[in-house]
Amino acid sequence: MNIFRLAGDMTHLLSILVLLLKIYATKSCSGISRKTQELYAIVFVARYLDLFTDFISVYNTFMKVVFIASSLAIVWCMRFHPMVRRSYDRELDTFRHYFLVGASFALALILHEKFTVQEIFWAFSIYLEAVAILPQLVLLQRSGNVDNLTGQYIFFLGAYRAFYILNWIYRYLTEPHFTRWIACVSGVVQTALYADFFYYYFISWKNNSKLKLPA
Amino acid sequence: LEEILYHDEL
């Protein structure tokens, strides 16, 4: 464990807590893409299949349980909570996210570390996580305005993967046989997807203006 | 050991 990875995991946890706070406090999920949340739930379930077979550390197991439980809770809220589901931007959240699931799985069948069920689902979860934010970014482009909590949610989500890139550089420099191309390349692609959002977020923060995304 | 350490990241 290194400081970059810990910072990454903490900002990832923070992004989920910000989202839970927004949904719980405002009883609204306007501006949040349910499709992105569903993709994240698939990512965590597919990636943590080893939850009961490989014990790495209490921290590792605890965080896996938190990520799976929180992502499923968010999807459940957005689908079944009477107050929250009413505020879902159904007509804006129209990204065909099943294509992302199919493409990621197809890629995982081709590119993986080992041809085992667990490794293929792990690679699938890595690829899917890289593109899972797309429905959310498309929804924000359509809705134009971004409320503070949603903006912070996406900012922390992008920062988490950026910290992981620093973690991979650090591990590459300090651990002799550390090679993790699938996660590295996919993580760089994922962070790049946030680049334009980060740009507009920084501009709005600098001008102290409301975050507006160009339509 | 290599196998288990492999997915030590979240």
Side-chain angles (χ1 to χ4, degrees):
Chain A
M1 172 60 80
N2 59 63
I3 188 63
F4 301 114
R5 184 143 69 95
L6 186 60
D9 291 341
M10 291 305 110
T11 36
H12 192 191
L13 188 61
L14 199 54
S15 73
I16 292 174
L17 293 180
V18 161
L19 184 56
L20 280 170
L21 171 74
K22 170 189 166 63
I23 291 178
Y24 182 75
T26 64
K27 289 289 183 287
S28 153
C29 64
S30 66
I32 300 296
S33 161
R34 187 174 73 193
K35 299 188 175 197
T36 284
Q37 298 312 315
E38 286 168 357
L39 292 179
Y40 278 133
I42 296 170
V43 164
F44 292 132
V45 169
R47 185 174 306 173
Y48 301 148
L49 293 177
D50 62 347
L51 179 62
F52 302 111
T53 53
D54 296 349
F55 176 78
I56 290 172
S57 70
V58 172
Y59 169 81
N60 188 274
T61 302
F62 173 72
M63 293 296 276
K64 285 176 176 177
V65 170
V66 166
F67 286 153
I68 290 176
S70 55
S71 58
L72 291 177
I74 287 168
V75 170
W76 183 86
C77 261
M78 294 186 74
R79 275 193 175 278
F80 303 111
H81 186 290
M83 292 273 286
V84 174
R85 67 194 299 266
R86 227 194 336 260
S87 58
Y88 170 51
D89 306 325
R90 184 181 307 277
E91 66 289 341
L92 286 177
D93 193 17
T94 57
F95 195 99
R96 284 194 291 279
H97 61 321
Y98 291 116
F99 277 126
L100 297 176
V101 176
S104 304
F105 197 78
L107 186 59
L109 286 174
I110 302 163
L111 267 182
H112 44 262
E113 301 290 339
K114 266 170 59 182
F115 197 77
T116 63
V117 171
Q118 184 166 325
E119 281 306 308
I120 286 181
F121 273 94
W122 182 80
F124 162 62
S125 78
I126 292 286
Y127 302 136
L128 188 59
E129 185 187 6
V131 293
I133 196 65
L134 284 172
Q136 177 65 59
L137 294 179
V138 165
L139 189 147
L140 290 183
Q141 297 280 356
R142 292 222 175 104
S143 64
N145 65 333
V146 184
D147 70 67
N148 280 344
L149 281 172
T150 307
Q152 282 151 12
Y153 165 65
I154 297 175
F155 176 78
F156 286 129
L157 212 49
Y160 129 71
R161 223 51 185 159
F163 275 125
Y164 254 74
I165 290 173
L166 296 178
N167 153 62
W168 290 321
I169 293 169
Y170 175 83
R171 291 189 76 174
Y172 182 75
L173 295 176
T174 56
E175 294 172 29
H177 53 274
F178 175 77
T179 54
R180 181 160 306 179
W181 299 117
I182 288 183
C184 284
V185 172
S186 185
V188 169
V189 166
Q190 180 173 341
T191 310
L193 285 176
Y194 287 77
D196 69 326
F197 178 83
F198 274 136
Y199 171 72
Y200 291 113
Y201 196 82
F202 177 70
I203 297 288
S204 77
W205 173 74
K206 198 158 65 75
N207 305 338
N208 198 14
S209 65
K210 189 152 178 49
L211 178 57
K212 296 291 285 176
L213 295 174
Chain B
L1 184 59
E2 166 60 23
E3 183 61 31
I4 289 186
L5 270 185
Y6 187 72
H7 290 317
D8 62 346
E9 294 185 346
L10 288 172

